[in-house]
Amino acid sequence: MSDFEYRVGLGHDTHRLGPDRPLILGGVRVDYDRGLVGHSDADVLLHAVTDALLGAAALGDIGELFPDTDPANKDLDSRIFLEAALTRVRQLGWEPVNLDCTLFAQRPKLSGYKPTIAQHLAQLLGLPTDCVNIKAKTGEKVGPIGREEAMSADAIVLLRRRSVARD
Ligand code: MG
């Protein structure tokens, strides 16, 4: 009988909204008249998922891996951050089991995008689609989310690996 060990990791991120930027959430282009502002492509969801992966494996955070002072990271596709984190996690023997996320955005309405984003994240993590869940919330028109100044994302991931045999 195989024994597994498990770790959970939590990720959170916020980016400001601004003009003349594409809106990319979970690696998926979302139709909207504004986008998220950041050094990379500012994909708030992928940043939260990347931090959740790193957190579960006790590997620090996305800022340590990809400093926003590094010109090489400017406008970078955030899938590169996720893939780099996943490689490090796998090097320690860990594999994702499932992912749950919440996106916070007053607009646009994200319900129609949730299945596409979930499918894309599942593909990036090598998971079946029924192991990835995306939820979307508005800011109830209050605070920076509700005033459409920013978007946020939360992510939680479970990792497992085979335990080293013990006598
Ligand atoms: Mg970020």
Side-chain angles (χ1 to χ4, degrees):
M1 194 178 87
S2 296
D3 284 332
F4 288 95
E5 50 185 324
Y6 294 87
R7 296 286 187 277
V8 290
L10 184 67
H12 176 83
D13 198 26
T14 300
H15 279 271
R16 281 182 295 113
L17 277 159
D20 305 318
R21 295 274 297 182
L23 177 60
I24 301 164
L25 296 172
V28 173
R29 178 75 184 261
V30 172
D31 191 28
Y32 192 44
D33 57 2
R34 292 188 292 158
L36 294 171
V37 179
H39 188 66
S40 66
D41 68 4
D43 187 329
V44 71
L45 180 56
L46 284 191
H47 294 182
V49 174
T50 300
D51 262 352
L53 283 168
L54 293 171
L59 288 171
D61 66 38
I62 191 171
E64 294 169 27
L65 236 64
F66 295 100
D68 63 8
T69 47
D70 186 344
N73 298 331
K74 184 152 170 45
D75 295 327
L76 198 69
D77 183 335
S78 293
R79 285 177 291 196
I80 291 167
F81 300 153
L82 183 79
E83 281 159 8
L86 194 56
T87 298
R88 289 179 183 223
V89 160
R90 284 179 169 148
Q91 280 166 351
L92 296 175
W94 297 108
E95 276 298 327
V97 176
N98 78 303
L99 167 70
D100 187 24
C101 310
T102 307
L103 269 165
F104 298 87
Q106 187 63 41
R107 285 195 314 136
K109 198 157 177 51
L110 296 172
S111 51
Y113 287 97
K114 288 193 289 187
T116 312
I117 294 171
Q119 204 170 16
H120 190 57
L121 280 173
Q123 195 185 348
L124 289 172
L125 294 173
L127 284 172
T129 46
D130 66 354
C131 294
V132 175
N133 189 67
I134 310 288
K135 305 182 296 298
K137 303 255 179 225
T138 71
E140 291 290 329
K141 297 187 177 174
V142 295
I145 307 287
R147 290 191 299 267
E148 298 175 39
E149 295 165 4
M151 291 183 183
S152 289
D154 288 337
I156 186 164
V157 71
L158 180 68
L159 301 180
R160 79 171 182 180
R161 71 179 173 189
R162 281 187 197 284
S163 299
V164 178
R166 276 184 279 252
D167 293 329

